[in-house]
Amino acid sequence: MTAQGDLIGGRYRVEREDRALGQLRRVAATDTRLDRPVLAWVSGDAGSAEDALLETARAVGEFGAASFLRVLDVASDASGLAVIVEAPGTPLARTRGPVPIDVRSSAALLDAIDRAIGETPLRIGRVAAVDVFVEAGEPVVDPIALF
């Protein structure tokens, strides 16, 4: 289990748990070397859950698109495996009032998801508002949540 204040891979300090998805948990963390916020998907179970998370991180790297958060690192320690992704903008779930997202940006996001679905086993039904972020008026999705 990863708790607030713990270091993942000796580098990423856990701030709070952000999302749970099956055997995975996403935590908001701080990269202590670069002093920047990141998100970390953590698998506390060795074996198939870790293998699936690592496979997902590799797949995300292959279809990288501007509409998806980038995988920055993979960290491993006694608490398990963690995939570190960038933490941009504001989660859609935390915005107040209407969100000014350009229609073209929304279309680009949907196109990127459509292209990725044709190549990988994505599960769009699992995406929640906490998985969509708004960065400079552009929607971006946490791709780990799609697998």
Side-chain angles (χ1 to χ4, degrees), residues 43-75:
S43 170
D45 298 330
S48 62
E50 282 190 357
D51 292 343
L53 182 57
L54 189 55
E55 184 178 324
T56 298
R58 287 182 182 131
V60 167
E62 290 177 13
F63 72 78
S67 299
F68 296 106
L69 301 182
R70 290 178 303 131
V71 172
L72 302 174
D73 195 5
V74 174

Side-chain angles (χ1 to χ4, degrees), residues 67-113:
S67 299
F68 296 106
L69 301 182
R70 290 178 303 131
V71 172
L72 302 174
D73 195 5
V74 174
S76 181
D77 57 26
S79 65
L81 182 79
V83 172
I84 312 301
V85 296
E86 63 185 338
T90 304
L92 191 58
R94 294 191 188 126
T95 57
R96 304 249 187 258
V99 179
I101 298 175
D102 189 296
V103 172
R104 291 169 298 177
S105 299
S106 299
L109 173 62
L110 294 173
D111 287 346
I113 291 172

